[in-house]
Amino acid sequence: MKSTLESLEGNKVKLSVDIDETEFDRDIDSAFKKIAREVRLPGFRAGKAPRKVLEARIGIAAAREQALRDGVPNYLAQAVREHDVDLIATPEIDITGGEESGPISFNATCEIRPEVTVPGYGGLRVEVPAITCTDADIDAEVKKELSRQGTLADVERAIALGDQVTLNLQGLRSGEPVIGLNTEDWLYEVGKGWVAGGFDDQLVGAKVGDDLTFSLIPNGTEEPADFEVTINKVQELILPEFNDEWVDSNVAEYDTVAGWRSALHDRLSEAHLNQARSQIVDRATSALAELVDIEPPEAMVQGDLQARVQNTVQQFQSQGIALDQWLSATGQDANSFVEGLRIQSLKAVKVDLALRAVAVAEDLAVDDDDFEREFERIGMQVRQRPAQVRKAYEKNDAMSELGAQIRKTKALDWLLHHVEIVDPTGEIIDNDVILGHDHDHDHEHDHDHDHDGHDHDDHDDHDH
């Protein structure tokens, strides 16, 4: 087999492949063996009829056609490997010779992953939630615990933030009730923001007996709903006196206000740090994606989108949730649901391109030690030896893509160590504080290794 590569416009290349008659005759021979299993000839068991007998009986055309169907994809795969073509879509095949006789030749027009540059990637600034715990944070936590022992008292005044109101709630769209927005005598704390943006503002200032009507977009939906609210009761929460005696009686392990507040400071500080850590990857990659100034290739977007839709549907099914009911409850249709996932796919593709660009710019290489560590990690997940995992990747022609994924992970690690991390006040946070000494970025959403796509279980150290 001989092949050549020609660059075309629009992130495309053309592979031209030639196969001589001798090589292609082996594909014809394999095609006859496949046909023999399907054709019954007197005097021969199924699959045992010789090629010459079959050729004399049915001719060579059918076998040649079968050989082209089976052989061209294999020859194309060889050419893709030979020229290291980074395919992002199924190539368009045009057989240019040999359909009826003689040597085979074909052209494959391939859409490839574009290479981008991301100027400014080394100076990105990323904001995460504050990692310091303030007195206000501790006060809020104390109030939450005191509230558990508080008592409700009826008030005659207008509703204020923090009040507990008992109300009748009805949400309608086109006169039809909206699931989850219809209830009577519901006790709700004003200020929680549980129903819709602006809902609490409508309640503040109202009094017992008032009937309110307004339109807002319920949380988790995109379509507005018509609300009808009746205020049945307004109460304020009376908190117990906060002192050492209360702490001693109600908080396990602590007997003073000072001791408990100190413990709360430590616990909340750790929670804030974990929250920042949980967001740093997404925020850093989002900032990086904004540097990509090309429109993501539709083939890449569609590939990512299909996987997201499939994963989401499977998650719903595993939880016993019917997708159509969930869409109805959240005021969405199938198109708006898919469009929401498409936005995530657009970002994911930009992140993929940008991380590859960082890897090139920083000359981040992947060596055999990197592969071995990855095979060990995957082996632990799938309960196979690293050698078995390597064999599966090699057999599935997946080594190149795995190398690219490892390289992207290195680029992400580089990025996280070089972005400037700040809190909402602009205070700079030490990267090592956020990342820690044992951070692991292999979970990064936007370029997860597709290990499950290679069937390790079917590949053992022995041949089947």
Side-chain angles (χ1 to χ4, degrees), residues 129-135 137 265 268-270 272-273 276 423 425 427 429:
I131 63 173
T132 55
C133 175
T134 65
D135 286 342
D137 295 328
H265 177 277
L268 293 175
S269 294
E270 183 179 2
H272 288 178
L273 179 58
D423 68 14
T425 68
E427 183 82 17
I429 304 173

Side-chain angles (χ1 to χ4, degrees), residues 118 124 284-293 346-348 350-351 354:
V118 281
L124 290 177
T285 53
S286 293
L288 182 66
E290 291 178 4
L291 301 179
V292 178
D293 60 3
L346 286 167
K347 179 203 166 185
K350 285 189 173 184
V351 170

Side-chain angles (χ1 to χ4, degrees), residues 47 59 62 129 132-133 176 199 217 219-220 244 274 276 279 299 310 330 333 338 344 353 363 408 411-413 415:
T132 55
C133 175
E176 294 296 323
F199 180 82
I217 298 177
N219 294 341
D244 289 348
N274 288 336
Q279 296 184 18
Q310 183 177 359
T330 55
D333 57 22
V338 172
Q344 299 177 37
L353 298 176
D363 195 23
K408 281 166 55 182
L412 174 64
D413 192 72
L415 180 70

Side-chain angles (χ1 to χ4, degrees), residues 15-34:
L15 281 171
S16 297
V17 181
D18 298 302
I19 305 104
D20 62 35
E21 287 187 85
T22 302
E23 185 171 5
F24 188 65
D25 191 63
R26 289 195 290 268
D27 295 285
I28 295 177
D29 196 50
S30 296
F32 269 117
K33 290 179 181 177
K34 181 179 289 188

Side-chain angles (χ1 to χ4, degrees), residues 46-260:
K48 298 300 182 180
R51 169 176 170 172
K52 289 184 178 181
V53 174
L54 288 169
E55 194 170 338
R57 197 52 95 79
I58 64 175
I60 198 172
R64 193 174 188 86
E65 182 180 342
Q66 182 69 50
L68 285 170
R69 281 199 301 269
D70 295 340
V72 167
N74 293 329
Y75 293 120
L76 174 60
Q78 291 179 43
V80 166
R81 287 195 301 273
E82 179 183 345
H83 296 279
D84 196 22
V85 177
D86 193 0
L87 289 175
I88 61 173
T90 303
E92 297 177 6
I93 305 296
D94 178 27
I95 296 177
T96 56
E99 283 193 272
E100 295 183 1
S101 62
I104 302 296
S105 59
F106 67 87
N107 294 327
T109 302
C110 309
E111 186 174 2
I112 61 174
R113 192 186 316 269
E115 294 183 359
V116 304
T117 58
V118 281
Y121 70 87
L124 290 177
R125 183 183 176 97
V126 176
E127 181 183 305
V128 297
I131 63 173
T132 55
C133 175
T134 65
D135 286 342
D137 295 328
I138 298 174
D139 290 342
E141 193 69 16
V142 168
K143 183 178 179 181
K144 184 190 301 182
E145 293 301 319
L146 290 173
S147 297
R148 300 179 191 277
Q149 308 233 350
T151 56
L152 291 175
D154 293 352
V155 296
E156 301 286 332
R157 58 170 173 75
I159 296 173
L161 284 175
D163 283 346
Q164 303 276 343
V165 297
T166 302
L167 51 82
N168 296 344
L169 170 66
Q170 186 173 36
L172 305 170
R173 283 198 184 98
S174 302
E176 294 296 323
V178 178
I179 296 176
L181 291 180
N182 292 270
T183 184
E184 292 186 354
D185 289 330
W186 180 40
L187 183 63
Y188 174 65
E189 181 180 338
V190 181
K192 288 292 188 181
W194 286 352
V195 181
F199 180 82
D200 294 351
D201 295 335
Q202 296 288 338
L203 299 184
V204 171
K207 296 182 178 180
V208 173
D210 285 355
D211 294 316
L212 310 176
T213 58
F214 48 87
S215 294
L216 296 170
I217 298 177
N219 294 341
T221 73
E222 299 179 355
E223 299 294 328
D226 299 320
F227 287 90
E228 298 177 2
V229 178
T230 300
I231 309 299
N232 298 331
K233 184 185 293 186
V234 179
Q235 299 172 298
E236 64 178 349
L237 186 64
I238 308 299
L239 301 179
E241 184 179 355
F242 183 49
N243 51 32
D244 289 348
E245 183 180 352
W246 185 90
V247 173
D248 186 36
S249 301
N250 294 278
V251 182
E253 300 180 10
Y254 302 99
D255 53 14
T256 65
V257 168
W260 186 41

Side-chain angles (χ1 to χ4, degrees), residues 398-428:
M399 290 291 288
S400 177
E401 177 58 20
L402 179 60
Q405 298 294 350
I406 296 173
R407 201 175 182 210
K408 281 166 55 182
T409 298
K410 286 190 169 187
L412 174 64
D413 192 72
W414 186 97
L415 180 70
L416 294 178
H417 280 88
H418 289 82
V419 295
E420 183 178 68
I421 306 174
V422 299
D423 68 14
T425 68
E427 183 82 17
I428 295 177

